[in-house]
Amino acid sequence: MPATVVVDGTITVAETDENYVCATIDWWPHDKCDYNHCPWEYTSVVNLVGLCNSSASSLDAFRPLRIRIGGSLQDQVLYDVGNLGSPCHSFFKMKGGLFGFSKGCLNMDRWDALNNLFSKTGAIISFGLNALHGRHKIKNKVWGGPWNSTNAHDFISYTISKGYKIEAWEFGNELSGTGIGASVSADTYAKDVGKLNEIVDALYKNSNKKPSIMAPGGFFEQGWFAKLLKITGPGTLNTVSHHMYNLGAGVDHHLIEHILNPYYLSKVSKTFSSLSQTIQQNGPWASVWVGESGGAFNSGGFHVSDTSVNSFWYLDQLGMAAAYNTKVYCRQTLVGGHYSLLNTTTFVPNPDYYSALLWHRLMGKTVLGVTTTASPYLRYYAHCSKGRAGITLLLINMSNNTDFIVKARSRSNLKQVQLEAESAANNLKRSVSWIGSEVTDGSLFREEYHMSPKDGDLQSKTMLLNGIQLQLTEKEGIPNLQPIRSRLSSPLYISSLSISFIVFPNFDSPACA
C-alpha cells in the first residue's frame, strides 16, 4: 500500500539527552516468582553472576550505556559501610516483609566490583537510595516518621572516596501517590529530598561536578507530583522520574494483542501529556526521565517480553516518550525477569537489546515533526541522525497483512526525498533539498535497517537484520549492524510486522544543523 511520510526538518519538537537509552539492574533475588515462574536467576545487584565477564561486550557496544540501579526492594537495602549496626545479609523471603522479603545489604566489595565493570565499559550510573530507612508503617501501605539519612550519607561518602562516578542519586522507588508496596506523603517526601540535596551538596563541595537529584521513581499521580515540585522548589529536584507499565500484568494472555494495537499503545500518551503539563506549571526547571518501564509488570510476560514481538512496543515507547521531551528512558531490565535485554543465564542478547542498540546508534537527540497518509498501523518517528548530517526515520509496521511502499518528503515546500525516478545531478538539486554545495554519488543513497522475527515467528528470540540472523560472533562479540544501501529512486518497502530504521544522510533539516 502506498504511503507518504512528511518530515518537518525545520523545527525541533522535543529533545532527549544524547544518551537516551538506559537499562536497569534490579535487586530481586533468584526466588522472586510471579505466576509460577521464577525468571530472575542470579541477576540481582548483590549476586549477579558473570556480570563482569559475559555482559561486558554488551555494555561496551553502547559506550556509553546508561544504567539505573534500583527497583522494588531498593527501599529495604542497607549499605555495609560506617556504623551499620546490624549484620550484612542478602534478601530472604519473609512473611510480612515488604514485597514478601526481608531487608538486604550491599557490601562494599560488591560495589567495588560493579564500579570496576562500569568504569571499563563507560557506563553512566544512576543509583536509587533507600527512602524508607528509619521510617515506620502507620497503617496499610502508609509510612511515616523521619528518614534516617546516616547510612545513605556514609554510602555516598564511600563512593566519592573511591572516585566512583554517579550521574544521579535517586530518592526512593514507587513510594509516590498511593504507592505500590508502601507510600510516603508528598510533604514528607519533599522535605527529605531537600535533606538529600543538602548531603550531596556538602559531600561534593570539592568535586568538579555534582550529581543530579532525582525523584520520586514512581507512578504518576498529578496531585502528588505537583505538590512535590512546589515544595522542593528550584535548585533541589533536578529530575522527575516516573515509571510506566502500560501493557498491564505479565500474566495477561492478550499481551501480544496489546503490543500490536496502535490504539491501545496510544492511550499512554495521556500520561506523558499530563506529566509534561504538571512540570511546566509547577517545576519547569526539572527534566523528565522514564526511570523504569518493562511493558508488562510483575517480571514481564513469559515468552513475550523477551521475544521479537516486544520490540514493537519498546521502540514505539522510545519514540513516543521522546516526543514528550523525556530526556532518558530506562528499560526494565538489562538482565533479570522476562523483560531482560540479555538472557538471564547466558547473557546472550534478546531481540530488544538490538532494538535498543540501533536506536542508540542512529537516533539523535533532536525530535522532528512527522505525519503520514498511512493507516494507524504504521507507526512513525523522526529524529536528526546521531553524529552525522541528515535524519533517521523509525517506521514500525504493526499490520499483519499490509506492506507499505513509503515515500519520505520534506515539509519545506514538500520537496521530494524519495525520488520516483533517477534525475540528472543538475535537476536533482531542484527537486530534492540537500546539505552541501554539490551532489555526490553517495547522496543518491539511503541506508536501511529492516528488523523482522526469524521465520516470521513473532515469539522468536532471534531477530533478523536485513534478513541476517543477529547472533554473537565467535569471540562472543556483538555483531556488526550493517545497513543495506538503496538508491533514492528505488521503492522503500516496509513489510508487514517489521521494524525499519531509514537513514537519509542529506535530508533537508535545518533543525539538525
Side-chain angles (χ1 to χ4, degrees):
M1 177 178 291
T4 299
V5 174
V6 180
V7 179
D8 188 348
T10 64
I11 299 174
T12 298
V13 171
E15 193 168 271
T16 71
D17 188 87
E18 189 71 30
N19 298 298
Y20 175 61
V21 172
C22 165
T24 68
I25 300 178
D26 211 312
W27 295 94
W28 288 120
H30 70 281
D31 50 353
K32 151 71 171 170
C33 304
D34 294 289
Y35 319 123
N36 299 317
H37 293 283
C38 305
W40 286 86
E41 300 293 341
Y42 290 89
T43 61
S44 169
V45 177
V46 297
N47 63 16
L48 185 47
V49 176
L51 174 68
C52 297
N53 298 316
S54 302
S55 63
S57 64
S58 300
L59 299 182
D60 199 52
F62 282 83
R63 193 166 279 278
L65 175 65
R66 286 185 178 277
I67 294 177
R68 177 241 180 191
I69 297 176
S72 298
L73 296 182
Q74 163 184 326
D75 295 301
Q76 297 190 91
V77 177
L78 298 175
Y79 318 109
D80 191 18
V81 62
N83 185 19
L84 185 59
S86 60
C88 186
H89 59 74
S90 299
F91 295 104
F92 56 86
K93 286 191 174 181
M94 186 178 80
K95 187 175 181 180
L98 198 61
F99 300 105
F101 285 92
S102 70
K103 291 181 179 180
C105 181
L106 174 65
N107 67 60
M108 293 303 98
D109 286 344
R110 182 61 178 169
W111 184 228
D112 294 341
L114 286 169
N115 277 279
N116 183 51
L117 172 70
F118 300 151
S119 177
K120 285 182 178 178
T121 58
I124 303 172
I125 306 303
S126 300
F127 190 96
L129 294 165
N130 181 344
L132 286 183
H133 189 44
R135 303 191 204 277
H136 60 276
K137 186 185 290 187
I138 298 174
K139 62 177 181 178
N140 299 325
K141 294 191 298 182
V142 179
W143 288 56
W147 175 51
N148 185 337
S149 62
T150 302
N151 192 224
H153 175 283
D154 293 344
F155 176 59
I156 295 172
S157 180
Y158 176 87
T159 299
I160 295 171
S161 72
K162 299 291 284 189
Y164 301 149
K165 296 180 180 178
I166 302 294
E167 186 191 44
W169 292 104
E170 186 176 27
F171 190 66
N173 184 84
E174 296 178 355
L175 302 175
S176 56
T178 55
I180 300 300
S183 68
V184 176
S185 72
D187 304 73
T188 300
Y189 213 87
K191 176 183 176 182
D192 291 328
V193 167
K195 181 186 288 186
L196 174 60
N197 186 57
E198 291 173 2
I199 291 170
V200 171
D201 275 346
L203 291 178
Y204 283 90
K205 64 181 179 181
N206 295 322
S207 301
N208 293 328
K209 185 179 180 182
K210 170 194 165 186
S212 299
I213 302 297
M214 185 160 63
F219 293 94
F220 175 64
E221 293 184 28
Q222 195 276 334
W224 196 100
F225 274 60
K227 182 176 284 189
L228 174 69
L229 287 164
K230 287 178 180 177
I231 296 174
T232 54
T236 301
L237 181 58
N238 310 110
T239 302
V240 174
S241 54
H242 68 115
H243 295 179
M244 304 191 83
Y245 285 88
N246 61 309
L247 295 179
V251 73
D252 190 338
H253 296 297
H254 300 286
L255 284 180
I256 293 178
E257 293 175 34
H258 295 334
I259 289 170
L260 297 177
N261 183 341
Y263 301 101
Y264 186 94
L265 296 182
S266 291
K267 291 179 181 179
V268 77
S269 63
K270 295 179 181 178
T271 299
F272 286 120
S273 178
S274 181
L275 176 58
S276 179
Q277 292 175 17
T278 299
I279 290 175
Q280 286 303 311
Q281 293 169 4
N282 301 281
W285 54 83
S287 62
V288 181
W289 284 29
V290 172
E292 181 182 313
S293 182
F297 58 81
N298 289 342
S299 301
F302 174 69
H303 201 42
V304 174
S305 297
D306 57 352
T307 68
S308 296
V309 71
N310 206 61
S311 283
F312 290 81
W313 160 80
Y314 180 36
L315 287 171
D316 187 68
Q317 271 279 289
L318 288 177
M320 188 186 303
Y324 282 93
N325 260 318
T326 302
K327 299 306 179 186
V328 174
Y329 190 105
C330 294
R331 166 62 182 267
Q332 176 84 343
T333 61
L334 174 64
V335 58
H338 297 305
Y339 36 41
S340 180
L341 292 179
L342 304 175
N343 182 282
T344 54
T345 55
T346 66
F347 297 97
V348 169
N350 287 322
D352 280 0
Y353 171 88
Y354 292 109
S355 297
L357 186 56
L358 279 171
W359 178 291
H360 177 74
R361 290 182 176 180
L362 299 176
M363 302 289 271
K365 65 181 183 179
T366 301
V367 184
L368 303 172
V370 57
T371 57
T372 185
T373 60
S375 84
Y377 284 84
L378 182 67
R379 307 284 274 190
Y380 49 91
Y381 300 97
H383 284 224
C384 297
S385 293
K386 190 169 188 176
R388 61 189 294 189
I391 69 158
T392 300
L393 274 178
L394 169 60
L395 300 171
I396 308 171
N397 188 354
M398 297 179 175
S399 173
N400 62 4
N401 56 18
T402 303
D403 299 338
F404 291 96
I405 305 173
V406 174
K407 291 181 179 180
R409 298 176 182 267
S410 168
R411 182 173 295 281
S412 55
N413 300 320
L414 289 178
K415 294 175 181 178
Q416 188 174 338
V417 173
Q418 177 63 61
L419 300 182
E420 298 181 33
E422 287 285 0
S423 299
N426 61 335
N427 292 325
L428 184 60
K429 290 181 71 175
R430 290 196 293 270
S431 61
V432 184
S433 187
W434 301 96
I435 296 172
S437 59
E438 61 182 44
V439 177
T440 64
D441 193 50
S443 299
L444 299 175
F445 292 86
R446 61 177 180 262
E447 297 173 5
E448 303 178 12
Y449 301 79
H450 298 285
M451 303 176 71
S452 58
K454 184 182 179 183
D455 299 325
D457 178 9
L458 286 170
Q459 291 177 269
S460 171
K461 293 188 179 182
T462 301
M463 187 75 88
L464 305 181
L465 177 62
N466 296 325
I468 299 173
Q469 183 171 317
L470 290 171
Q471 57 187 359
L472 295 179
T473 64
E474 291 183 2
K475 295 183 178 181
E476 299 299 307
I478 301 301
N480 290 328
L481 305 180
Q482 295 294 335
I484 56 175
R485 298 177 75 237
S486 300
R487 287 189 173 275
L488 285 171
S489 57
S490 64
L492 173 55
Y493 293 103
I494 307 298
S495 301
S496 60
L497 297 177
S498 72
I499 299 166
S500 300
F501 290 91
I502 311 297
V503 180
F504 294 95
N506 295 292
F507 194 89
D508 176 28
S509 48
C512 302

